[in-house]
Amino acid sequence: GYSAYWSLLLRGFRPEDAEASAAAIAAARRSGDRLLLSQHIGRSSYFECLQSRYDAGCEAAQEGMRLALEVGDAFDYLLCRFFLAWGLLHGGRWGQALGVLEEGIRLAERNGHHLWATLLRLEMAWLHGQALDFEPARRICEQALEASRERRHTHSRLVSAVLLGYAHLGLGHPERALHCSEEAGGPEDRARGLMDWSWQMPVGICLAEQSLAVGDLARARAEADRVRALAAVPGERTYLALARRLLARIAAAAGDAETAEAEIAAALGTLDGIDAPVAAWQVCATAARIHHDGGRLLEAEACRARSAAAIRRLADALDPASDLRTSFLSAAGARMTL
């Protein structure tokens, strides 16, 4: 079970590692060893989320949190909070994700777990970025980047720099975004620095977006294609769909309408039979534009309506008085679809 988890972190997803994790949990349950069960059940949340089983990932993380409290393991408790928030974020339960992250950050700081506080803040920055709330994301990333540089922690420094660039891009500053992306280096450099394999996909999406914004279609295509390949192995359909969406936009920017149509069709197909609202609203909005440009107005309207429904669902998962809800619904990308 331990070997499977570290293999996942350092080398990426393999089905046999997911099976080993499940076997370790079963063995821990049979033995009645609460400490071992706490450690393995929490880490299994990671495997579940990477297979787009976000609800199952949340359930595993919640059980892991209860067990970690029982055995007095603060590190594993915070690890489970991270994976719980990851599942809630990608499953569209944004209000719950915010609460989990805010409480986790307070607990980490109170217990002197400064690295966990930084990692949880980065997860919160990604949530703000997905909700098109880029100014708070920028502030969070700048704080995280400063803390990670002080502690010389390569993993959090890379994620901070890339998410900061994504926030700058959302705020309309592509030149600042490009400067941040230079700190990330190439894929091989990032693979060595990013201990948490799942961050490879959000990081790749951010870098592809930044490259597309400045017209570097070759790099944008390479980054998006890499995310597509990474996500395809475990079947992480949120990032598989987002990567296909990017490839469609890149093809459209290059004037290749046929490839754009094929890629957006693949992105829509990826979402069939799965609940992935974070990807759904973005993919369907792009599909609506591509179909409209191709003269297929009925298909365009169907995709627009589907995107709008996903936007409303994500907004309704937030407190009605939440600043994040207001920001999301008033952002240009969401407002145009609605």
Side-chain angles (χ1 to χ4, degrees):
Y2 286 128
S3 175
Y5 176 68
W6 283 103
S7 175
L8 174 60
L9 286 182
L10 299 171
R11 295 190 300 207
F13 183 91
R14 300 186 308 172
E16 57 265 39
D17 289 330
E19 293 167 6
S21 174
I25 291 167
R29 288 195 193 280
R30 286 195 303 271
S31 73
D33 191 318
R34 308 293 280 176
L35 177 60
L36 281 176
L37 182 59
S38 167
Q39 292 170 342
H40 288 297
I41 196 74
R43 285 156 177 78
S44 75
S45 175
Y46 192 7
F47 287 96
E48 297 288 0
C49 288
L50 281 175
Q51 296 172 85
S52 301
R53 297 199 287 257
Y54 304 122
D55 287 346
C58 290
E59 290 172 8
Q62 287 168 329
E63 183 179 0
M65 285 167 60
R66 291 192 296 270
L67 288 163
L69 282 177
E70 181 183 320
V71 300
D73 191 329
F75 182 91
D76 268 14
Y77 181 81
L78 291 168
L79 178 142
C80 289
R81 268 198 178 266
F82 180 92
F83 291 142
L84 174 58
W86 192 271
L88 293 170
L89 190 167
H90 292 86
R93 293 150 67 183
W94 283 359
Q96 293 178 57
L98 273 179
V100 167
L101 289 169
E102 288 166 354
E103 176 59 27
I105 291 166
R106 284 194 292 270
L107 182 67
E109 290 179 335
R110 192 162 64 242
N111 283 273
H113 282 288
H114 302 298
L115 181 54
W116 267 123
T118 296
L119 293 171
L120 291 165
R121 284 194 178 94
L122 289 172
E123 199 170 12
M124 184 174 284
W126 185 233
L127 172 54
H128 279 276
Q130 292 305 288
L132 310 179
D133 192 24
F134 295 111
E135 180 56 32
R138 180 193 63 78
R139 292 197 300 268
I140 294 168
C141 289
E142 286 182 344
Q143 180 184 4
L145 183 58
E146 182 179 356
S148 58
R149 282 173 173 163
E150 286 177 0
R151 294 180 176 85
R152 298 183 179 182
H153 189 250
T154 304
H155 169 81
S156 56
R157 179 181 60 79
L158 284 174
V159 176
S160 301
V162 173
L163 296 190
L164 178 58
Y166 188 70
H168 280 310
L169 184 63
L171 292 168
H173 305 301
E175 69 289 342
R176 296 182 190 175
L178 197 61
H179 176 73
C180 292
S181 69
E182 289 171 355
E183 187 162 349
E188 290 185 3
D189 297 326
R190 298 201 303 272
R192 285 192 294 270
L194 287 173
M195 276 188 63
D196 185 344
W197 187 78
S198 65
W199 272 116
Q200 295 275 354
M201 291 178 283
V203 161
I205 292 292
C206 291
L207 292 172
E209 289 278 8
Q210 292 165 27
S211 299
L212 177 59
V214 297
D216 188 348
L217 300 189
R219 185 183 180 191
R221 189 178 296 108
E223 293 287 358
D225 218 25
R226 185 169 182 273
V227 175
R228 180 198 56 74
L230 288 171
V233 178
E236 213 307 350
R237 289 205 256 173
T238 290
Y239 290 102
L240 187 54
L242 290 176
R244 290 285 195 186
R245 169 184 179 255
L246 267 165
L247 290 167
R249 291 168 56 210
I250 294 162
D256 185 352
E258 183 178 350
T259 300
E261 291 278 5
E263 289 291 356
I264 204 63
L268 289 168
T270 297
L271 296 174
D272 287 346
I274 192 164
D275 189 23
V278 175
W281 87 261
Q282 299 176 70
V283 168
C284 292
T286 298
R289 289 195 294 274
I290 289 174
H291 291 331
H292 185 276
D293 291 345
R296 296 194 302 284
L297 301 186
L298 288 177
E299 291 178 57
E301 175 53 25
C303 286
R304 187 209 62 79
R306 186 178 172 189
S307 176
I311 290 170
R312 292 191 186 98
R313 175 186 163 186
L314 290 167
D316 289 346
L318 294 162
D319 187 289
S322 165
D323 290 341
L324 185 58
R325 185 180 192 277
T326 301
S327 177
F328 180 46
L329 290 175
S330 62
R335 195 171 65 244
M336 186 182 302
T337 296
L338 293 170

